Amino acid sequence: MSFTGKYELLSQENFEPFMKALGLPDDQIQKGKDIKSISEIVQDGKKFKVTVTTGSKVMQNEFTIGEECEIEMLTGEKVKAVVQMEGNNKLVANLKGLKSTTELNGDTITHTMTMGDLTYKRISKRI
């Protein structure tokens, strides 16, 4: 199953409390909660390039399944991580105390981030 495609954010749960816990300033959280977000994923075998455009902010990460890489977090901080593939439709990474799971089902991607007992969920649809 290929992740390649463009996806538009449909809904998100627990955005504000999760971003606060990450340490983002309130003004950034308020700006970010209603902005349209487009994710573009290019998959070439085990190599991935993920570009997330939210308003004027563009965040780009590249990684290869099973190899250490540097990933930019929502705070702008770069951390080392290893992204693993579970089955043929789920990407899992642990980033500095945060677990990130991206699952593809048909044309829908569900991205879940968990930190302690706090979970943030984004649902995006292929456009």
Side-chain angles (χ1 to χ4, degrees):
M1 187 177 288
S2 176
F3 281 79
T4 298
K6 269 190 174 184
Y7 301 86
E8 183 175 8
L9 180 66
L10 291 179
S11 67
Q12 48 189 2
E13 295 168 19
N14 278 342
F15 177 79
E16 286 187 65
F18 197 85
M19 296 306 140
K20 268 189 182 15
L22 276 179
L24 266 100
D26 284 343
D27 62 325
Q28 238 180 314
I29 293 170
Q30 291 310 313
K31 266 194 260 174
K33 72 177 183 180
D34 298 317
I35 292 180
K36 187 171 150 182
S37 180
I38 302 283
S39 301
E40 184 171 5
I41 302 173
V42 177
Q43 180 183 356
D44 180 11
K46 289 183 162 198
K47 289 186 190 310
F48 283 78
K49 183 176 175 181
V50 180
T51 307
V52 180
T53 306
T54 308
S56 61
K57 183 171 170 34
V58 178
M59 202 166 73
Q60 196 167 39
N61 286 305
E62 293 185 41
F63 58 88
T64 301
I65 299 297
E67 293 181 16
E68 188 176 71
C69 62
E70 202 172 65
I71 291 190
E72 184 181 349
M73 308 238 325
L74 297 165
T75 56
E77 180 184 1
K78 293 185 187 296
V79 296
K80 293 203 180 299
V82 177
V83 180
Q84 300 291 355
M85 174 92 63
E86 287 182 7
N88 66 350
N89 71 328
K90 192 185 281 190
L91 302 171
V92 180
N94 287 301
L95 320 158
K96 203 179 164 192
L98 186 145
K99 182 177 182 182
S100 170
T101 306
T102 303
E103 189 170 2
L104 177 64
N105 286 310
D107 282 343
T108 305
I109 281 189
T110 303
H111 184 200
T112 309
M113 288 188 273
T114 310
M115 187 170 50
D117 57 0
L118 202 53
T119 299
Y120 166 52
K121 188 183 278 189
R122 294 169 55 102
I123 297 174
S124 302
K125 189 132 180 80
R126 194 185 301 256
I127 50 174

